[in-house]
Amino acid sequence: MTTTSPAPTSAGVQFRPGLTPAGLVTVLLGAALPIIDFFIVNVALPTIDADLHASTATLELVVAAYGIAYAVLLVVGGRLGDSFGRRRLFVAGLWLFTLTSLACGIAPTAGTLVVARAAQGAASALLLPQVLSIIQAATSGEKRSRALGLFGATGGISTVVGQLLGGGLVAADLWGTGWRPIFLVNVPIGLVVLVMARRLPESRAHNPLGVDRLGTALLAATLLSLLVPLMEGRALGWPLWTIALLIVSPFSAAAFVHVERRLERLGGTPLLPPSVMRLPSVRRGLLVGVPFFAAFGSFMFVFAMTLQEGLHFGPLGAGGALTPLAVAYFTVSMLSSRLVARYGQKVVPVGGAITAVGMVALLCTTLSTWPHVTILELAPSMVAIGVGNALAMTTLFRIVLSHVPTDLAGVGSGVMTTNQQTSLALGVATLGSLYAALSGSVGPREAFALVIGVVAVLAMIVAITGRRLPDPRV
């Protein structure tokens, strides 16, 4: 769900021979691997904790390190593909993703796993932008429409596969390896896709945009100086370095804004162009997106932990419990374009409200039957949450991109996706830390209740603020 958003593409492209059916399968497999990996990790977190003796704060980093690296380098990955060739960067990103998956699978310590996950996120930032770029450059007309539809469907299918495959692999405990196969399974699949990728068409942009090195460095510094202390500070007793990083964060953010404005005034293309950020559709969409994605990121982390640590579902049961959400998301996302065509921006507040209702229903179900709740009892609330997220998320992307000039479409999608991944990591850092603090003091039941209550409030904020979004049909 969280990684199926449009990636940066270029408006001016050099066309090469068309994309064959085998080539389309290749790029879609390349897109599916990182998405599957995101959801596999969620259901494996308690097992990783038991094996590597990781704190909840470190588990948050296992999730967020991937998202932070992906958010910072996503636009860079798209621009590198435009400059040096989309197929070349697809292959390079896939090689790195395969190698970093191996590094994750053999990580001897929790700290090593966090570093490997950050590297895996960086590899995904090189790999995923090329998928849409290759489709755009090598297809046209109805063939392009079908390819883009299949790309969207790949995200939904991958979420289901990720839940079930992750739970199944961890539960199987192959050769006593516990959680490690969730990463190691990427290695043979990645090698097969690399062989298939040799026949992909190559393309480059006529006038590729340069890489904003200083902006990228400052964005990375801003995110790290904010998120790392939020995740680690409580567990470590707030040592001086965590306080220092939090103090640095706003100054780093101000420097980033200054550099981006200056680069745009000089005629360059910043990482996150201020002129694009000022468009009403983009500005309002990003403001609604922050609470929405923060709520979703924290929910996926906290619910996966609660299912196994509080309700004792086990990894396979946790995957099964989350599957109705993924199936509902996939089904509704395939219908969302028709709903937007008919109802416009109203789809977002409706999605936020349905999500809030689903969270309240989940809260009532778990609290009334704790700790003996079943997958069947959870299913209605999971379906509601999946439906609400599908309506809000897919429509938000359409709204943000609806008024972005065609020649900046890739930049606009990069802005939105960076906001998405940053907010996901922020949700894990804040509400994940809140859950960890309360779980140790008052217990997982009360900690879960409070966090899900906050998530429900955030969903209602989306429902209220989403009413002010511009209509994408205008």
Side-chain angles (χ1 to χ4, degrees):
M1 270 169 275
T2 60
T3 51
T4 61
S5 48
T9 58
S10 172
V13 295
Q14 292 179 327
F15 287 91
R16 290 294 182 264
L19 189 65
T20 64
L24 180 59
V25 170
T26 301
V27 294
L28 292 180
L29 282 172
L33 281 173
I35 301 170
I36 291 172
D37 220 57
F38 177 85
F39 288 95
I40 278 181
V41 167
N42 273 311
V43 296
L45 289 173
T47 309
I48 295 173
D49 180 18
D51 183 33
L52 298 182
H53 308 292
S55 65
T56 303
T58 304
L59 294 178
E60 292 170 21
L61 282 175
V62 170
V63 175
Y66 179 96
I68 294 170
Y70 181 76
V72 170
L73 298 175
L74 173 75
V75 177
V76 174
R79 294 184 186 179
L80 289 175
D82 288 347
S83 298
F84 298 105
R86 284 85 181 237
R87 185 190 68 180
R88 179 178 295 178
L89 264 292
F90 179 88
V91 170
L94 189 55
W95 264 117
L96 288 174
F97 184 83
T98 303
L99 292 173
T100 52
S101 295
L102 176 62
C104 289
I106 62 175
T109 65
T112 307
L113 179 59
V114 170
V115 173
R117 280 286 288 169
Q120 195 180 38
S124 295
L126 293 180
L127 169 63
L128 284 172
Q130 317 315 323
V131 175
L132 276 178
S133 295
I134 290 171
I135 290 174
Q136 291 278 73
T139 61
S140 61
E142 182 61 27
K143 186 176 180 181
R144 178 182 293 176
S145 297
R146 287 197 302 268
L148 291 174
L150 288 171
F151 174 80
T154 297
I157 294 170
S158 298
T159 60
V160 179
V161 171
Q163 309 290 1
L164 294 177
L165 182 62
L169 286 174
V170 175
D173 192 19
L174 300 173
W175 305 288
T177 53
W179 55 271
R180 297 182 185 276
I182 69 170
F183 296 112
L184 296 177
V185 72
N186 294 332
V187 176
I189 297 174
L191 292 175
V192 170
V193 179
L194 280 167
V195 173
M196 297 168 64
R198 293 162 57 186
R199 293 185 174 273
L200 288 175
E202 182 62 283
S203 65
R204 292 179 176 85
H206 283 302
N207 300 300
L209 301 173
V211 174
D212 179 9
R213 295 182 181 85
L214 181 56
T216 301
L218 286 171
L219 178 61
T222 301
L223 294 180
L224 290 172
S225 60
L226 173 65
L227 297 177
V228 171
L230 289 178
M231 294 180 194
E232 298 293 314
R234 181 200 60 82
L236 298 177
W238 295 104
L240 184 60
W241 66 267
T242 59
I243 304 298
L245 283 179
L246 285 175
I247 293 172
V248 166
S249 180
F251 293 99
S252 179
F256 172 71
V257 172
H258 173 75
V259 165
E260 298 298 273
R261 288 175 175 171
R262 181 174 181 275
L263 180 59
E264 191 167 58
R265 283 198 304 269
L266 295 175
T269 305
L271 184 70
L272 302 179
S275 61
V276 173
M277 303 280 280
R278 286 193 293 267
L279 291 171
S281 61
V282 175
R283 185 178 67 252
R284 295 178 190 175
L286 295 181
L287 288 174
V288 174
V290 170
F292 175 79
F293 292 118
F296 182 76
S298 58
F299 167 73
M300 292 300 293
F301 177 83
V302 169
F303 191 51
M305 295 289 290
T306 302
L307 282 171
Q308 297 185 64
E309 293 189 339
L311 298 173
H312 310 293
F313 267 49
L316 187 58
L322 286 164
T323 297
L325 183 156
V327 172
Y329 178 92
F330 168 64
T331 303
V332 174
S333 64
M334 299 302 291
L335 303 173
S336 62
S337 59
R338 298 179 188 176
L339 295 172
V340 174
R342 183 168 182 178
Y343 299 107
Q345 82 282 9
K346 296 176 183 177
V347 175
V348 174
V350 170
I354 293 174
T355 300
V357 170
M359 292 295 173
V360 173
L362 173 64
L363 197 57
C364 294
T365 301
T366 50
L367 293 182
S368 62
T369 57
W370 188 286
H372 305 296
V373 63
T374 66
I375 292 177
L376 188 61
E377 291 169 330
L378 290 172
S381 54
M382 289 292 97
V383 169
I385 293 169
V387 169
N389 275 276
L391 291 174
M393 190 182 301
T394 54
T395 309
L396 264 178
F397 273 96
R398 286 186 175 91
I399 288 172
V400 167
L401 298 178
S402 61
H403 298 114
V404 175
T406 303
D407 59 338
L408 291 175
V411 175
S413 63
V415 167
M416 183 58 181
T417 308
T418 301
N419 172 273
Q420 177 195 38
Q421 295 298 321
T422 302
S423 301
L424 287 168
L426 182 64
V428 173
T430 53
L431 294 183
S433 295
L434 177 63
Y435 173 81
L438 293 175
S439 183
S441 57
V442 300
R445 182 177 183 271
E446 288 71 20
F448 175 76
L450 181 59
V451 171
I452 296 303
V454 174
V455 170
V457 170
L458 290 175
M460 282 308 302
I461 290 174
V462 172
I464 295 169
T465 57
R467 298 168 61 187
R468 301 189 63 185
L469 289 169
D471 194 328
R473 300 171 297 177
V474 177

